[in-house]
Amino acid sequence: MNKVVIIDDEPQVRRLLSMVLKSRNYEVHEAEDGPSGLQHIALLRPDAVLLDLGLPAMDGLSVLKRLREWSEVPVLILSVRDEEALKVEALEAGADDYVTKPFGTAELLARLAVIQRRRFTRQNPEITAGNLTLNLLHHEASLAGDRLKLTPTEFSLLHTLAEHAGRIVTFGQIIRRVWPAQLSDQSEALRVHISHLRRKLGTTGPQIINEPAIGYRLIDS
Amino acid sequence: MEPNAAARKESDSLALVAQYSGSLAVVFSLAAACRAILPQTGYLFSALMFLMAIVLAGTRWHRGPVILMAILSALTWNFVFLQPQFTFLIQNPGDLAIFALFFIVALSMGHLTSNLRQREDALERHHRERESLLAERHRANLLAESERLHRTLLDSVSHELKTPITIIRTALDGLASPNPYTAEITTATRRLQHIVDNFLGMTRVEADALRPNLNWEELHDVIRAATTPLEEEFRSRPLLISGLDSLPLLKLDSRLLAQALSNILHNAASYSPQGSPVEISAAFLANFLEISVRDHGQGIPDGAENAVFDKFYRGPDVHAGGTGLGLAIARGLVRSMKGDISARNHPDGGACFTIRLPAQAAPLST
């Protein structure tokens, strides 16, 4: 059974999330603030953490930063709208994804499932996302068996997105991965390459979804 | 600053006139005084007196009056005190040196004082700049502080309003069995969420708390972000989108623009019959992005083309559940990006809303 720790200061939100998750066979532990949440995580070694960004006293971002000093546990951020800058900060500080309140249960469960999939030691040099396959050994990509012609930059970009398939990757994270040596602003180049990639992936392959002011998400349709 | 500088200039020229007349007065009164005591002191003493007067004047006055004073003193001394008296002849080389000294002293004093004055002026200017900078910073701090307070308040109100809605939604999702009562609660919750979003949106717009964050974007993404929350509304209304393929990358705030567009689309869905299409078209011309949304509803009442953007304006055949804020927010959002919105009736029926926004296009083309 997967263990989840919920850190949220609203008792009713905790109770409800706990009910929802228990009905999906999660073992749930609740914490009402950052320090006790960190203690729970250290003690219980959960498989995932739901973290509210708007905690009183020690805010969610500080909790996350402290957590990332010693744990790689997948973290899903619960946030409200109009906090894009904060969300980006949390994602770049090591959060795995976010949902925006008020969120649907289906969305929450889907995100939670995806972020738990990520920690695996890759034994084979292939990544798949839907009908897309990336062969890292030969730097080849294929869509439903057909070879995709990609430039090295496009391949690296698709690699970054596919590795995090289903999860949000911030613009900053992508740029640092794809253009590690570039100091100048690459956001325009990023948009251009994304647009090329989208054309090559067409409508049958996984879709690259833009989340305004945050980043891109590869969705395998 | 302007009137101040003018006043300063005027008082400067007044002071200059006073100094010129002062130099005349000093030279002649000094000449008269020295002439009176000439038998006791000798002509060299009078030369010293003149020099001293020049030095004193030099510390205070402008260069012009001091040099005039030097010329007058030299000539007067030469004419009145130097042998042969009442001629401009100079026979003794020592006297010639003294004669030259008047000019040397006057010029070097002038040089020294003008340097000093320049330094003083620079210091004063620096001081003034510093003060205005400090005042500016103080004002900015105050503004930032009040903005921060406002934002904090808004955030906490927003949090308080959204938490119960989140709880209701999650709880509703948990009620798995389909039940006509839960369907009603779901609809009501959606409506409530829409109202809360609109009130908070209006507050944000009116608080002038919107800081556009420009980034290179594909309009395609903006329209997607605008239509995603309206899935329900557009389930029964086809959305026809045109003109996007020819657009370059544009530098804009996709979040604000998507929100504005979303409100206009929501309005179009509210005022047009089920099953009728809503058309979005876009064009980029002369650094302006134009996005039009056309519906096939009743259109805008005559003369209300501007009023529709007023707060709390409601159309004549009102639908329940509107706040009359959607279009007002849309306009506020677009204006925060230095653009504007207009509304008109399409010649073939239906309302047509157009967002016009200045935007930079990417030199790289997609």
Side-chain angles (χ1 to χ4, degrees):
Chain A
M1 202 180 338
N2 279 347
K3 265 187 280 186
V4 175
V5 169
I6 302 172
I7 311 175
D8 196 312
D9 57 320
E10 292 282 344
Q12 219 186 344
V13 171
R14 284 203 308 271
R15 207 158 55 225
L16 262 165
L17 287 177
S18 173
M19 270 159 39
V20 167
L21 294 174
K22 276 175 185 161
S23 75
R24 307 295 155 119
N25 286 324
Y26 280 97
E27 180 187 326
V28 184
H29 300 269
E30 299 175 21
E32 60 175 358
D33 58 23
S36 72
L38 287 172
Q39 253 173 16
H40 274 73
I41 298 168
L43 231 73
L44 299 162
R45 307 261 153 204
D47 300 288
V49 174
L50 296 186
L51 175 63
D52 180 29
L53 269 191
L55 292 172
M58 186 181 188
D59 66 78
L61 191 62
S62 317
V63 175
L64 179 69
K65 284 178 177 162
R66 290 274 282 278
L67 178 65
R68 281 291 176 253
E69 287 169 9
W70 49 268
S71 169
E72 286 291 302
V73 60
V75 173
L76 184 64
I77 293 290
L78 311 177
S79 68
V80 291
R81 228 183 51 180
D82 295 322
E83 277 187 340
E84 268 64 16
L86 192 58
K87 283 178 209 166
V88 168
E89 211 180 332
L91 290 167
E92 303 210 327
D96 294 273
D97 211 331
Y98 68 92
V99 285
T100 304
K101 288 178 181 174
F103 45 77
T105 307
E107 186 190 5
L108 175 80
L109 290 169
R111 294 277 149 82
L112 193 57
V114 169
I115 63 168
Q116 287 178 82
R117 251 196 273 143
R118 86 194 155 97
R119 312 279 166 195
F120 54 90
T121 44
R122 189 177 299 118
Q123 297 289 351
N124 72 39
E126 278 200 349
I127 303 178
T128 54
N131 57 1
L132 173 77
T133 307
L134 294 188
N135 185 321
L136 302 180
L137 193 63
H138 299 109
H139 272 232
E140 280 172 8
S142 59
L143 192 65
D146 295 334
R147 174 91 186 270
L148 277 179
K149 278 195 191 120
L150 300 180
T151 65
T153 305
E154 286 165 4
F155 185 85
S156 160
L157 187 52
L158 193 55
H159 176 192
T160 307
L161 292 171
E163 203 174 46
H164 301 86
R167 291 203 287 135
I168 185 80
V169 194
T170 67
F171 300 129
Q173 286 169 332
I174 300 174
I175 287 169
R176 282 191 291 278
R177 265 291 286 277
V178 178
W179 293 274
Q182 289 285 351
L183 292 175
S184 59
D185 180 21
Q186 295 294 316
S187 59
E188 185 186 345
L190 172 63
R191 298 310 192 285
V192 171
H193 284 103
I194 287 281
S195 136
H196 292 168
L197 256 185
R198 278 175 168 163
R199 227 164 284 164
K200 290 182 182 177
L201 289 173
T203 49
T204 56
Q207 299 298 301
I208 301 173
I209 306 295
N210 170 291
E211 295 195 12
I214 297 186
Y216 287 107
R217 187 191 294 275
L218 187 76
I219 308 263
D220 44 67
S221 49
Chain B
M1 246 10 212
E2 274 304 306
N4 240 343
R8 243 172 88 93
K9 214 166 181 182
E10 196 174 321
S11 77
D12 272 6
S13 58
L14 269 177
L16 214 57
V17 171
Q19 285 172 16
Y20 275 115
S21 24
S23 62
L24 283 173
V26 167
V27 170
F28 290 116
S29 46
L30 204 60
C34 288
R35 177 86 175 103
I37 53 169
L38 184 62
Q40 282 83 36
T41 56
Y43 76 98
L44 283 177
F45 174 79
S46 53
L48 279 175
M49 292 307 286
F50 277 120
L51 280 174
M52 199 175 71
I54 293 168
V55 169
L56 281 177
T59 58
R60 247 151 256 214
W61 291 354
H62 286 284
R63 195 196 294 242
V66 175
I67 288 173
L68 174 72
M69 198 168 152
I71 296 167
L72 284 174
S73 304
L75 294 177
T76 314
W77 179 71
N78 182 355
F79 194 70
V80 180
F81 299 95
L82 201 59
Q83 295 297 335
Q85 268 189 332
F86 308 116
T87 65
F88 288 112
L89 278 175
I90 301 173
Q91 289 160 334
N92 192 339
D95 294 339
L96 194 66
I98 291 173
F99 186 81
L101 212 57
F102 281 103
F103 295 96
I104 294 167
V105 167
L107 285 174
S108 51
M109 280 311 290
H111 186 66
L112 275 177
T113 46
S114 76
N115 266 359
L116 206 68
R117 215 177 297 268
Q118 266 168 19
R119 222 166 292 170
E120 263 175 14
D121 278 355
L123 211 67
E124 199 189 336
R125 206 165 38 239
H126 182 73
H127 201 71
R128 267 205 309 275
E129 272 165 13
R130 218 177 110 82
E131 265 177 6
S132 73
L133 205 71
L134 280 176
E136 195 80 24
R137 193 177 306 165
H138 184 66
R139 241 194 331 272
N141 278 347
L142 272 181
L143 209 68
E145 181 62 17
S146 88
E147 219 166 79
R148 198 186 60 79
L149 257 175
H150 203 107
R151 207 169 287 235
T152 311
L153 197 69
L154 204 59
D155 284 349
S156 90
V157 170
S158 147
H159 182 256
E160 287 310 308
L161 288 172
K162 281 175 179 169
T163 302
I165 297 177
T166 305
I167 292 164
I168 297 171
R169 265 194 73 170
T170 313
L172 278 172
D173 284 347
L175 288 173
S177 63
N179 178 322
Y181 294 110
T182 55
E184 291 306 319
I185 304 175
T186 307
T187 309
T189 311
R190 269 185 66 87
R191 203 167 133 183
L192 183 62
Q193 192 184 324
H194 180 69
I195 294 167
V196 167
D197 282 348
N198 269 346
F199 273 100
L200 291 173
M202 196 69 231
T203 316
R204 282 215 161 78
V205 166
E206 291 198 324
D208 215 6
L210 302 167
R211 297 280 169 274
N213 179 16
L214 303 184
N215 254 308
W216 293 110
E217 306 286 357
E218 290 184 65
L219 195 62
H220 177 80
D221 286 333
V222 177
I223 290 179
R224 194 185 172 281
T227 50
T228 304
L230 300 175
E231 222 172 289
E232 194 82 18
E233 284 78 1
F234 284 95
R235 191 159 291 159
S236 59
R237 288 180 185 82
L239 253 180
L240 309 174
I241 303 172
S242 62
L244 293 197
D245 294 337
S246 57
L247 290 181
L249 279 183
L250 295 169
K251 201 156 210 182
L252 39 87
D253 186 319
S254 63
R255 217 162 49 85
L256 295 184
L257 183 56
Q259 183 64 61
L261 195 55
S262 192
N263 286 12
I264 293 174
L265 287 168
H266 188 274
N267 180 76
S270 308
Y271 288 93
S272 63
Q274 297 252 340
S276 68
V278 172
E279 293 147 30
I280 304 178
S281 60
F284 183 73
L285 219 98
N287 294 322
F288 273 87
L289 170 66
E290 256 187 33
I291 310 172
S292 295
V293 173
R294 187 209 164 178
D295 62 43
H296 289 265
Q298 290 289 308
I300 302 159
D302 275 344
E305 286 85 358
N306 273 317
V308 291
F309 296 107
D310 289 346
K311 263 200 297 183
F312 306 116
Y313 176 87
R314 308 290 309 273
D317 49 357
V318 203
H319 297 251
T323 53
L325 289 175
L327 292 180
I329 295 170
R331 185 175 61 179
L333 291 167
V334 173
R335 284 189 175 168
S336 80
M337 297 179 281
K338 308 221 174 356
D340 214 342
I341 299 189
S342 60
R344 63 188 167 87
N345 281 317
H346 196 275
D348 302 331
C352 183
F353 289 84
T354 303
I355 296 178
R356 215 174 114 80
L357 202 65
Q360 194 189 335
L364 286 174
S365 81
T366 58

